[in-house]
Amino acid sequence: VAVGPAPCTVDSLASAIALLIPALIANPTPVLVRGRRPIDGGRKWIDGKRVLGDGKTWEGLAAGVAAGTLLGFALWSLLGVKLTILHAFAISLGAMLGDIAGSFIKRRLSLPRGAPAPLLDQLDFYAGAVAASCILGCRWDAATLILGALVIAAVHVAANIVAYVAGLKKEPW
Ligand code: CTP
Ligand code: MG
């Protein structure tokens, strides 16, 4: 797959998916670790609601970034994507920060942990990963960005239904 650092052009669905492999691994990993230490330490924002809530833990963050970096970089190498492990780390971290930002927004909207927030739930990590790739120098064309969002949202919905049926998630979203 023709994704490399110079120039890193993301102009097809295949290149978008290839680039985002670390994010696609990082995002679902926290569900498996059952973290206990919330990133916000139980603290509340000035609106009296939790900053992030109990669904965002340090263990989940660490596991997501570690899995996305290591497995993502390994898959990149197999697929011939010419990016470094540092890129895999940045895209994994971007995905997890996007997910955290999504929870921050949900709490500000008074949505409790686990409440559905259509589009936000599916695309917060995508936005974070795309933003990280842009910081690394990747350039996305608009059509690919939108097509990627549609495909990621559809896959996210399907994957969460599977995780729910498998008993990994409390809600099917
Ligand atoms: N998780 C975690 N740490 C993270 C992200 C996720 O421990 N940084 C775990 C939590 O157990 C969380 C589950 O993965 O419940 C699913 O993540 P997500 O759907 O993003 O969280 P929600 O529980 O739905 O909470 P929110 O309403 O804040 O999205
Ligand atoms: Mg959720």
Side-chain angles (χ1 to χ4, degrees), residues 30-31 55-57 60-61 96 99 103 106-107 112-114 169:
V31 181
K56 300 296 112 124
T57 67
L61 173 63
M96 300 310 292
D99 175 58
S103 291
K106 284 173 74 173
R107 300 299 90 81
R113 173 201 177 171
K169 286 203 69 170

Side-chain angles (χ1 to χ4, degrees), residues 30-43:
V31 181
L32 304 171
V33 304
R34 308 199 175 275
R36 295 166 161 277
R37 279 172 284 184
I39 293 168
D40 67 9
R43 282 183 282 272

Side-chain angles (χ1 to χ4, degrees), residues 8-123:
C8 174
T9 314
V10 191
D11 56 3
S12 68
L13 185 62
S15 59
I17 301 292
L19 179 68
L20 296 183
I21 286 171
L24 294 168
I25 294 170
N27 190 57
T29 297
V31 181
L32 304 171
V33 304
R34 308 199 175 275
R36 295 166 161 277
R37 279 172 284 184
I39 293 168
D40 67 9
R43 282 183 282 272
K44 296 185 167 91
W45 191 246
I46 45 172
D47 56 11
K49 317 274 183 202
R50 285 285 295 277
V51 180
L52 300 174
D54 288 332
K56 300 296 112 124
T57 67
W58 287 113
E59 294 91 337
L61 173 63
V65 171
T69 302
L70 299 175
L71 294 177
F73 180 66
L75 263 174
W76 272 354
S77 305
L78 288 175
L79 293 170
V81 174
K82 292 176 187 61
L83 294 169
T84 68
I85 196 164
L86 215 63
H87 291 99
F89 172 76
I91 288 173
S92 302
L93 184 63
M96 300 310 292
L97 293 180
D99 175 58
I100 287 169
S103 291
F104 179 78
I105 294 169
K106 284 173 74 173
R107 300 299 90 81
R108 304 291 70 73
L109 297 172
S110 299
L111 293 169
R113 173 201 177 171
L119 295 182
L120 193 60
D121 281 332
Q122 290 76 36
L123 295 176

